[in-house]
Amino acid sequence: MLRPTYSALHDFTKRHGPSVFLCSYVNNPNPKLFKSYYQLFTVESEWEEDAFFRNAPRECPAHARIKAREAIKRGLTVFVYQTRLPRWDPDRMPWDLSHPRWQKVTKWAPRFEDDPDPITENGEK
């Protein structure tokens, strides 16, 4: 994974010009079971390294796309970091909540139908 550092951003921009680069990717085959969040790192970001991951806002897919496009229009490179949370939807969840994988989950995304974020062209919220 390409770390969110100003030097890495500078080197990447020097080689590729202003662009959007997906630095971490989490497969999300079913947006009704999982919600993706994105953190966008640019030269305008307040933090880098681990402080970025702790403090930078997490954007929904629709807002992240808008912000990334705006950054490109302004000539900035954007490093995009994706995370994913399971959705809390007992009527739809196919997994066994007693399994150790789910025992450690402390944060859940809202049920797809209750998620206030806009839907994207590929069906994510």
Side-chain angles (χ1 to χ4, degrees), residues 46-117:
E46 285 185 61
W47 308 278
E48 63 178 333
E49 292 285 350
D50 291 336
F52 168 78
F53 293 119
R54 283 191 309 273
N55 300 304
R58 285 169 174 76
E59 305 287 346
C60 72
H63 295 156
R65 285 185 176 102
I66 291 167
K67 289 183 178 191
R69 286 184 196 128
E70 289 172 355
I72 289 295
K73 285 180 186 176
R74 293 191 347 262
L76 303 177
T77 290
V78 184
F79 287 176
V80 179
Y81 298 89
Q82 178 190 12
T83 56
R84 179 179 82 170
L85 287 180
R87 291 187 182 274
W88 183 256
D89 187 352
D91 295 333
R92 185 178 282 141
M93 297 185 314
W95 41 75
D96 174 8
L97 293 178
S98 65
H99 188 278
R101 174 181 181 185
W102 305 110
Q103 298 279 315
K104 296 177 184 179
V105 175
T106 58
K107 291 184 180 181
W108 296 84
R111 197 172 79 100
F112 187 85
E113 290 76 12
D114 297 335
D115 191 333
D117 292 327

Side-chain angles (χ1 to χ4, degrees), residues 7-19:
S7 62
L9 196 62
H10 174 75
D11 293 344
F12 187 90
T13 304
K14 193 173 173 182
R15 283 187 308 240
H16 304 285
S19 54

